[in-house]
Amino acid sequence: MTRAIDVLVVSLGATPGLRTVDDQFAGLLREVGASVELVRPPRPRDVRTLMLTDLVQARACAAVARQALREVEPSAIVYCSTTAALRWPRPGAIRFDALAQRTRPGHHGLWQRPIEARRLGQASTLLPQSEVALDGAAPADRDRAVVVPVAIEPHAEPSKAVHAAVDELLAPLIAGRLGAAAVAYASDPVKKGLDRVIAAWDAVRKEGEVLLVAGHDALPPDVAGREGVLDVGRVPREVFRALVRAVGTLVIAPRREDYGLVQLEALAEGARVVTTVAPGPYAALPLIRTLWPEQVVDRPDDLSALGRALRLAVDARPDAAEALRAAHAVGEYSHEAVLAVVRDRVLPALLGSAGNGAR
């Protein structure tokens, strides 16, 4: 016998960022009174091409959705990413940060793009994370869209345990009388442009300065052990945010950016952000450009410009007013603002007239 619930959330969860965003979305639905079940497949095996990667991931999401539907009977289903919806067992809403119409050009998306277009037309509601995420959608699809940003938690004083974790990460620098100049985020070293960052850093680094590289499972061999670079690895999100706040500068040179969650969180911590432009919605980019236009590099392969921007940020004196402006810039992404969208627009769209009486 199945159990009745309001919303089944099918999460692709292929990266830590996707898992964080999907967990948050499910939490927001629960916070406004909905009964929610979230399911996601185990991390699928790595395969060689984007076409095969999407197929493996779509099949995995379909399998966990079918299993969930044997146990629960939802009033609505939300597939988190269009990949999760490609082989859906039942139509539902789709939440996404970008469309395959833009992220899978040419042969990379031969089978995904036409199926995605059909799924968008069949979906009950579209829940893009930004307006730009709708690029590639048909005009009729846009009429059924509700933009739901990722909520960015404001700065909170770190706990003693988080302070201790940051102190431990910085201990090798203190022991060697070195200084942490900036933090580079490299969850996917290629996609996040770590090679660009390292090359720019090598050109502008001063004696005794160290670039901390975080967010990854393993550094590329040519980066591991490099002078002027400290491998921080993957750390809990609250520790990473506290580290960025302590150091004061985040640098990233993505080859593609679908949202920029880490950059937005850095702004919430009052840190400077140095970045290149990148294909994709990159919701954080306009805010960074407004705050520090000199820290946005418009030609991604101009490593000299990236080095100058990084040097400028590292040399800037701490400025409490500037840090406050950065934190205020992410106000539209506040928990309260996003929660209101979920309560007033998303839940009624998912449940119709039942939205006010969620289980």
Side-chain angles (χ1 to χ4, degrees):
M1 184 175 179
T2 57
R3 183 166 42 87
I5 62 169
D6 289 318
V7 184
L8 173 64
V9 176
V10 181
S11 165
L12 173 61
T15 67
L18 288 175
R19 292 192 289 274
T20 296
V21 169
D22 296 347
D23 289 347
Q24 181 197 91
F25 179 67
L28 289 167
L29 287 169
R30 294 187 183 106
E31 199 169 340
V32 298
S35 56
V36 179
E37 186 91 7
L38 183 145
V39 297
R40 66 167 56 100
R43 189 180 184 280
R45 70 185 189 278
D46 290 330
V47 292
R48 295 187 62 181
T49 68
L50 289 175
M51 286 195 295
L52 189 54
T53 295
D54 291 341
L55 180 60
V56 168
Q57 293 180 348
R59 283 177 170 173
C61 287
V64 297
R66 283 193 298 270
Q67 177 59 41
L69 290 170
R70 288 192 280 268
E71 301 170 5
V72 299
E73 182 54 46
S75 297
I77 305 176
V78 179
Y79 297 92
C80 291
S81 82
T82 59
T83 301
L86 289 176
R87 296 176 67 89
W88 65 18
R90 185 188 298 181
I94 306 176
R95 178 162 165 76
F96 54 92
D97 57 9
L99 296 176
Q101 313 299 322
R102 292 289 180 264
T103 64
R104 300 291 190 265
H107 70 276
H108 297 295
L110 281 176
W111 73 270
Q112 303 97 309
R113 292 193 304 270
I115 297 178
E116 178 189 78
R118 289 202 300 273
R119 293 292 181 261
L120 294 177
Q122 296 164 339
S124 58
T125 307
L126 301 182
L127 303 172
Q129 294 177 15
S130 65
E131 288 286 353
V132 185
L134 284 165
D135 283 356
D141 295 333
R142 291 172 176 267
D143 294 338
R144 294 176 296 105
V146 178
V147 175
V148 189
V150 178
I152 305 299
E153 297 295 336
H155 166 70
E157 184 58 32
S159 66
K160 290 183 179 179
V162 170
H163 274 300
V166 172
D167 289 344
E168 184 177 351
L169 292 174
L170 296 177
L173 303 186
I174 297 171
R177 296 185 178 182
L178 302 171
V183 178
Y185 182 69
S187 58
D188 180 332
V190 175
K191 184 178 178 182
K192 300 302 181 184
L194 181 60
D195 56 332
R196 296 169 171 173
V197 171
I198 295 296
W201 175 239
D202 283 345
V204 300
R205 171 180 173 261
K206 294 180 180 178
E207 186 69 27
E209 291 181 333
V210 174
L211 176 72
L212 309 182
V213 181
H216 57 89
D217 291 318
L219 280 180
D222 61 330
V223 177
R226 196 186 196 97
E227 184 179 2
V229 174
L230 177 65
D231 180 4
V232 175
R234 196 181 295 281
V235 297
R237 193 163 221 93
E238 62 272 18
V239 174
F240 178 81
R241 285 186 58 160
L243 180 66
V244 170
R245 184 179 183 87
V247 175
T249 298
L250 174 76
V251 57
I252 187 167
R255 287 184 165 82
R256 176 175 179 83
E257 192 59 86
D258 294 324
Y259 199 73
L261 176 60
V262 167
Q263 294 90 310
L264 290 171
E265 289 182 331
L267 296 181
E269 294 297 332
R272 285 175 168 265
V273 178
V274 177
T275 185
T276 56
V277 301
Y282 203 168
L285 185 62
L287 296 183
I288 302 168
R289 192 186 292 279
T290 298
L291 290 163
W292 305 290
E294 70 280 5
Q295 291 172 197
V296 175
V297 178
D298 288 312
R299 291 186 294 168
D301 292 322
D302 188 344
L303 301 183
S304 295
L306 180 59
R308 289 193 298 271
L310 181 53
R311 186 74 258 164
L312 187 65
V314 170
D315 288 342
R317 294 183 178 182
D319 185 328
E322 184 178 73
L324 190 60
R325 284 195 299 274
H328 282 171
V330 296
E332 66 183 285
Y333 299 91
S334 72
H335 181 88
E336 293 75 15
V338 179
L339 185 68
V341 173
V342 173
R343 180 188 62 240
D344 300 338
R345 301 191 62 196
V346 174
L347 197 59
L350 293 177
L351 305 184
S353 59
N356 293 327
R359 297 178 182 89

